[in-house]
Amino acid sequence: MDSAPTLRPVAGAPAEVERLVAGWLAADDPPALTVRTSGSSGVPKDVALSRRAVTASAAATLERLGGPGQWVLALRPQYVAGLQVVVRSVLAGTSPVVLTERGGVAAATAALTHSRRYLALVPIQLHRMLASPTDTRALTGFDAVLVGGGAVRPELLERARRQAVEVVTTYGMSETCGGCVYDGVPLDGVSLQVDDAGRVLLSGPVLFDRYVDQPALTAQVLRDGWLHTPDLGRLDADGRLEILGRVDDMAVSGGVNVPLAAVHARLLDHPAVNQAAVVGVPDAEWGARVVAVLVPEAGVEQPRLDELRDFVSAVHPRTWAPRQVVYTDVLPALESGKVDGLLLQRELARLRV
């Protein structure tokens, strides 16, 4: 159930948030709104976002996409990606069509009235929509379908584009007012660096003001005008950003630092794997045991552990390969749509799986 409508932190039903956002955008000198992070990698934080930063992000997004339009709201508006759908809509003089109120993307698309049409999704939503011919046809009617909030497997992007879906991958976070790097290229006004340690640094008018009541943490990540993100990345030959994982997304197994995101990305390339999560579980022998939690493709035989280890080892060191595999029908998710890795880790440790 939605909380009482407020912007500190953002909460409420979509129509209530839209009303509050419209008033906030029109106010003379409004205080920052706050967005609570999803908590996918730790304790949630309240992120203060100024109107200047929020509107800079929205304007740069619309400029990159080709101009204002009408949005389908498929994400909860208390998180930054959904909130920005509302902000972009208000700035464009339109009202978003709420997916959950229409019963599906095809019905939501039919309710749009603007000539330009946009949609923002997390990867699992795109995956599910592409499994439906009706939903896939609806997706082709959008000028852009933004996909972010987590790693997107290349096969999923290729499948969408083969179906003439205009997919745009986004990278960003609450601290940058949402996506600020589209298809590996920063939005206008956003600067990007990868430091010597491989950490991604971002700068520009989209940066947050502070973490509420956490000045030390704010000072730790905001230095000299740059946001020191928790993400590791690299620039490819074309200068596009590729995210490799998180600084804290490591498991020390047998004395080896295993980047879990790299193992996760490799497992998603396996033809028998539909969805995946990779976690480090405390282990008396190894320190941390790398466990792959997989949702298999329907109608395909589940790969054996040794096969998966060989598959990972074909491109990464053998020491990175998972030492255990667990199959499930569904991965636990947070309200934001991201996989709840902390819950998986706790459950696997509790069950000693």
Side-chain angles (χ1 to χ4, degrees):
M1 176 177 291
D2 290 302
S3 303
T6 176
L7 293 183
R8 294 171 191 87
V10 176
E16 295 168 332
V17 173
E18 182 182 357
R19 174 180 58 81
L20 291 173
V21 164
W24 182 72
L25 291 172
D28 288 338
D29 187 22
L33 58 74
T34 58
V35 173
R36 185 156 292 165
T37 63
S38 65
S40 59
S41 59
V43 178
K45 301 178 289 290
D46 284 345
V47 179
L49 302 175
S50 70
R51 183 174 61 183
R52 174 179 176 271
V54 169
T55 55
S57 170
T61 291
L62 296 176
E63 178 68 24
R64 177 65 58 87
L65 297 181
Q70 191 174 16
W71 292 76
V72 168
L73 177 59
L75 303 167
R76 293 175 65 88
Q78 73 262 40
Y79 296 113
V80 73
L83 173 67
Q84 279 290 28
V85 168
V86 175
V87 171
R88 296 168 196 146
S89 299
V90 172
L91 291 177
T94 65
S95 188
V97 173
V98 181
L99 181 67
T100 56
E101 296 175 359
R102 299 288 174 169
V105 69
T109 304
L112 293 169
T113 58
H114 200 281
S115 59
R116 293 195 68 80
R117 302 173 171 196
Y118 301 120
L119 174 65
L121 303 172
V122 293
I124 186 59
Q125 290 175 306
L126 178 62
H127 174 84
R128 290 169 179 166
M129 290 177 184
L130 290 177
S132 163
T134 300
D135 288 353
T136 301
R137 284 193 297 272
L139 291 178
T140 64
F142 289 91
D143 292 275
V145 176
L146 308 187
V147 183
V152 188
R153 59 191 297 182
E155 184 274 337
L156 182 63
L157 294 175
E158 292 168 7
R159 182 149 51 101
R161 289 165 178 158
R162 284 198 305 268
Q163 298 293 329
V165 179
E166 297 291 336
V167 179
V168 178
T169 61
T170 70
Y171 166 73
M173 56 208 70
S174 300
E175 292 87 341
T176 60
C177 295
C180 63
V181 179
Y182 282 23
D183 286 335
V185 179
L187 295 176
D188 291 348
V190 175
S191 297
L192 164 69
Q193 291 183 10
V194 178
D195 69 15
D196 292 341
R199 187 188 290 257
V200 177
L201 278 57
L202 297 166
S203 184
V206 301
L207 294 190
F208 77 125
D209 284 356
R210 67 190 184 282
Y211 293 118
V212 177
D213 298 328
Q214 297 190 70
L217 181 59
T218 302
Q220 178 181 331
V221 302
L222 269 183
R223 304 198 299 272
D224 299 322
W226 288 90
L227 171 64
H228 293 244
T229 79
D231 296 311
L232 297 170
R234 65 186 175 196
L235 301 178
D236 67 14
D238 298 320
R240 294 178 182 267
L241 177 66
E242 178 184 355
I243 298 298
L244 304 177
R246 291 175 58 97
V247 173
D248 57 359
D249 194 17
M250 291 276 186
V252 182
S253 183
V256 175
N257 289 332
V258 180
L260 301 180
V263 179
H264 171 258
R266 176 57 177 166
L267 289 171
L268 287 179
D269 289 337
H270 195 288
V273 174
N274 183 308
Q275 299 173 53
V278 181
V279 296
V281 178
D283 185 275
E285 180 181 0
W286 296 99
R289 184 174 70 261
V290 177
V291 180
V293 184
L294 307 178
V295 177
E297 288 285 0
V300 177
E301 183 178 355
Q302 296 178 356
R304 302 183 312 274
L305 175 61
D306 59 347
E307 178 187 343
L308 291 170
R309 285 178 56 79
D310 289 343
F311 186 75
V312 171
S313 301
V315 297
H316 296 307
R318 185 75 176 182
T319 50
W320 292 12
R323 299 188 179 278
Q324 187 174 3
V325 60
V326 175
Y327 287 100
T328 184
D329 294 330
V330 62
L331 294 173
L334 299 161
E335 286 185 340
S336 62
K338 297 179 181 180
V339 172
D340 192 340
L342 293 177
L343 176 60
L344 270 180
Q345 187 180 52
R346 287 196 298 267
E347 285 299 300
L348 291 172
R350 181 179 65 84
L351 297 173
R352 300 185 184 276
V353 171

